[in-house]
Amino acid sequence: MLNHPIHERLIELGLTGMAKAFEEQRRSPDLEALPFEDRIGLLVDREAAERDTRRLTTRLKIAALRQTACVEDVDLRTPRGIDRAVFAKLVEGRWIDRHENLLVTGATGLGKSWLACALGHKACRDNRSVLYHRVPRLFEALALARGDGRYARLLKSLGRAQLLILDDWGLSVLTAAERRDLLEILEDRHGRASTIVTSQLPVDTWHGAIGDPTVADAILDRLVHNAHRLQLTGESMRKRSAKTITLDGQPEH
């Protein structure tokens, strides 16, 4: 049998995973003892794994998460007000299928952004589309898009993501244009997709942070009424890390 042409043909067909597995089998005489179906199964499994990896890489690139975080690394031992059962359900992700939202609030340094990115990473692993934006930068991008004709396209991409992460919400009172932008985003997503919002402000102060009472009512109605909440408490994780510096100058984990 002409082994090399088979390898090249698999690559030409875009079956790079099968091509790699084929070469591995060709160089492993022990695998010759396996039944034909088992050897084919190994090729197919390798191709499926390679495609899953490529899709995940693409989803993570599009998501542009601010931090490299995984839910498996979330520290649930440090007292921060995170209920293990609630967090387990968030990790499971069915709330995203139900198009529900998540509000993560608490003082600076408690890991709000990190938690949001960890849940975003898990959503990518679960084959869901994710977008991450810091709210101040997002409003700047929308203002620029409005001026150069990309506004509708940007709004469409924000509305299409299965999970949108809006980080650092409420750092300043919204302008009229920002209020309109936020309402448009949430209106497009309401009942169709899920949104994570992180903020230093308690949820009951968000009405004032929006600025206009009428628009605030509309925004909060679309964001808060079907939302899960994580209210983080305790000591700043950054301060805690600074206190646990070891003798070699490295933080303990």
Side-chain angles (χ1 to χ4, degrees):
M1 180 179 289
L2 298 176
N3 289 320
H4 291 295
I6 292 175
H7 180 265
E8 293 171 0
R9 187 66 170 166
L10 288 171
I11 292 177
E12 290 173 1
L13 292 170
L15 301 173
T16 55
M18 294 186 73
K20 292 176 184 177
F22 174 78
E23 278 297 291
E24 291 171 1
Q25 288 193 20
R26 194 169 65 86
R27 294 169 182 162
S28 301
D30 295 343
L31 293 177
E32 293 181 1
L34 290 176
F36 173 78
E37 291 84 356
D38 290 348
R39 296 187 66 177
I40 289 294
L42 291 173
L43 297 180
V44 173
D45 288 346
R46 181 64 174 273
E47 179 64 29
E50 291 270 340
R51 293 190 180 198
D52 287 343
T53 298
R54 289 197 296 270
R55 282 194 291 265
L56 176 58
T57 300
T58 300
R59 286 193 296 271
L60 289 172
K61 182 177 180 180
I62 293 171
L65 299 172
R66 180 181 182 182
Q67 301 187 52
T68 303
C70 298
V71 292
E72 291 82 2
D73 296 331
V74 173
D75 180 9
L76 295 175
R77 296 169 300 175
T78 301
R80 283 187 290 169
I82 302 176
D83 182 272
R84 289 176 180 269
V86 171
F87 188 71
K89 289 183 178 180
L90 293 174
V91 170
E92 188 179 38
R94 291 184 182 176
W95 61 282
I96 301 176
D97 297 330
R98 296 191 297 266
H99 308 144
E100 297 167 352
N101 300 323
L102 172 63
L103 314 179
V104 185
T105 57
T108 184
L110 289 175
K112 299 183 298 296
S113 298
W114 202 93
L115 281 172
C117 288
L119 291 170
H121 185 274
K122 179 59 165 58
C124 286
R125 285 159 51 190
D126 291 340
N127 201 27
R128 296 182 172 103
S129 58
V130 179
L131 284 178
Y132 168 94
H133 286 282
R134 285 192 67 248
V135 171
R137 293 285 182 85
L138 176 59
F139 286 144
E140 291 175 4
L142 287 165
L144 289 173
R146 189 181 290 105
D148 61 21
R150 295 180 297 108
Y151 185 74
R153 188 163 71 246
L154 180 52
L155 279 181
K156 184 177 180 180
S157 70
L158 293 169
R160 196 166 45 203
Q162 290 172 279
L163 179 62
L164 174 64
I165 300 173
L166 299 177
D167 197 12
D168 285 340
W169 148 260
L171 295 181
S172 60
V173 177
L174 301 185
T175 65
E178 291 169 348
R179 286 193 290 270
R180 289 194 299 270
D181 288 341
L182 184 57
L183 182 57
E184 287 294 326
I185 293 168
L186 296 178
E187 174 61 29
D188 287 345
R189 299 182 58 77
H190 183 57
R192 301 182 183 92
S194 296
T195 304
I196 295 178
V197 178
T198 76
S199 178
Q200 296 180 35
L201 300 178
V203 175
D204 58 10
T205 67
W206 287 11
H207 198 278
I210 295 171
D212 181 286
T214 302
V215 180
D217 286 342
I219 288 173
L220 296 179
D221 178 66
R222 289 158 178 77
L223 184 61
V224 175
H225 85 276
N226 70 338
H228 303 269
R229 300 192 189 190
L230 282 180
Q231 173 64 52
L232 303 187
T233 59
E235 184 180 19
S236 166
M237 299 296 284
R238 298 189 188 101
K239 291 181 180 178
R240 185 179 293 272
S241 295
K243 290 179 180 179
T244 56
I245 298 297
T246 60
L247 293 177
D248 63 358
Q250 298 298 318
E252 295 178 350
H253 297 286

